[in-house]
Every structure is written in C-alpha cells, then in structure tokens.
Amino acid sequence: MTRDRRGAALTHRIAALLLEYPTAELVAQVPTLRAVAPTPAFEPLLDHLVATPLEALTAEYVDTFDLHRKVCLHLTYYAYGDTRERGMALLAFKRAYRAAGLEVSADELPDHLCVVLEFSATEDVEVGTRLLLEHRAGLELLRLALVDRGSPWAAALTAVCSTLPALRGDEREAVARLAAEGPPGEQVGLEPYGAMAGMPR
C-alpha cells in the first residue's frame, strides 16, 4: 500500500471511531488517536472530546446527528431520502462489501458513514474511497452542515474529505442543489433494508 493509501486508510479509521456515539472508552483513546493521526484536521474534535463531560458529549451527539435532516450519517439519504430508489443504492453498498467477503449485520444500514469508513480502513481503501466518491455530494453537504452548526464533529468530515480529490464543477453543483432542496421525501419500498429508527425527518 502506498503512503497516500495508508494515510487515507488511517484517516478513515480514526474518523470512523470519532463519528460513533461517544463513550468513555473512546475518550480514553484520544491520546493514542492524537499521536497516530496523519492530519491535524482532527485536533478540534479530539480537544473537544477530552474537555467535555461525557454526559454533555452524548447529548450533543444526539442533538447533532439524530434530529436534523441535513446532518445524517447515512450517505444515500441525501440523494434519495426515504424513497424506493434508495433501496437500490443500499444494495450497491452491500454488493461492494460482499465482494470483499463481508456481510453487514441486519440491524445496520450499509451506507452508514462509520461502516463505509471502517470498510475502507480495514478491508479495501480503494473500494471504500469509490463508495465515498459516489456519494460525494451528500458527504460534502454533511460536512458543510456541521461547519454551519459550529459542530466539533465537522473536523472528522474535514479530515475524510481531505483524502478525496478536489471537487469538480458538477460535484459543486450537486452539493449546492442538495443544500437547496434537501433529500426527497417519498417513504416507500425500504422494508427489506432495515428499520429507519433514528433517521431525521
């Protein structure tokens, strides 16, 4: 693996950890994560994790990721909302994982950003990066939404996006369109892909 790929894989691994629901175990890992992080982009979030009581961290995490349509960790939600087309997009993630010999548990949607980042970091950084690029507009919208909220978790998205090529013109337009319109709202055809518990409306 080249140095760039190793750096991307490590960045994705750290981001996957930091974007999960905060726990005491995660906070205890902050010194190690700080020591191995290949980019300083994580620093604001690492600082916040060690400076904030755990109860406040968990409440802030829920308020950030569970209550707002434009701050969602499920990548296909941005392009498809809760529509029939989203089911096919979720299948594409499952097929990519299955090709690497992995199966996502039935209670977890395969497009969750932490799942994608963990796959990229531990299994196949090229395929993981391709999945991120296929949903680049949603990823950037999530980053921008976190920046606009002044959220410390924006640091993790900034780090992830730094491992991807610069946005092209059409990608910038897609981000702007998503930001203006938001995800579609038709709610049909998703029964085989798991419950939508916790999804913002």
Side-chain angles (χ1 to χ4, degrees):
M1 185 182 292
T2 67
R3 180 178 300 177
D4 286 348
R5 289 179 184 172
R6 284 196 300 269
L10 182 54
T11 296
H12 293 176
R13 175 69 176 129
I14 294 172
L17 289 170
L18 295 179
L19 288 168
E20 292 282 5
Y21 186 81
T23 62
E25 291 76 16
L26 174 61
V27 174
Q29 291 182 61
V30 166
T32 300
L33 297 177
R34 198 189 299 274
V36 302
T39 169
F42 288 113
E43 287 296 322
L45 179 52
L46 295 172
D47 290 345
H48 186 70
L49 290 175
V50 296
T52 308
L54 184 59
E55 185 176 352
L57 274 178
T58 57
E60 185 180 11
Y61 182 92
V62 170
D63 180 64
T64 298
F65 292 109
D66 293 349
L67 304 177
H68 306 279
R69 292 180 78 229
K70 291 183 180 179
V71 186
C72 174
L73 290 170
H74 292 273
L75 293 178
T76 63
Y77 182 74
Y78 292 97
Y80 303 106
D82 290 334
T83 66
R84 184 178 293 105
E85 289 79 7
R86 187 176 175 208
M88 296 306 296
L90 291 171
L91 277 178
F93 281 87
K94 286 190 172 184
R95 290 189 183 113
Y97 301 150
R98 193 170 294 132
L102 301 175
E103 293 287 343
V104 177
S105 63
D107 62 348
E108 193 166 35
L109 288 176
D111 66 331
H112 192 284
L113 181 55
C114 293
V115 175
V116 181
L117 292 171
E118 183 69 17
F119 171 80
S120 178
T122 61
E123 296 295 333
D124 194 324
V125 69
E126 289 188 3
V127 174
T129 297
R130 173 176 60 78
L131 292 171
L132 293 173
L133 289 173
E134 288 174 354
H135 296 273
R136 182 71 181 275
L139 188 68
E140 291 289 345
L141 183 57
L142 173 58
R143 182 184 65 80
L144 291 171
L146 290 171
V147 169
D148 287 347
R149 287 173 58 85
S151 169
W153 281 278
L157 271 294
T158 298
V160 170
C161 290
S162 74
T163 68
L164 305 177
L167 284 172
R168 302 188 305 269
D170 57 341
E171 291 171 328
R172 289 179 180 275
E173 292 171 7
V175 174
R177 184 169 62 251
L178 276 179
E181 299 174 1
E186 176 194 4
Q187 297 185 21
V188 295
L190 282 175
E191 291 81 359
Y193 304 101
M196 297 292 107
M199 289 294 291
R201 297 289 183 254

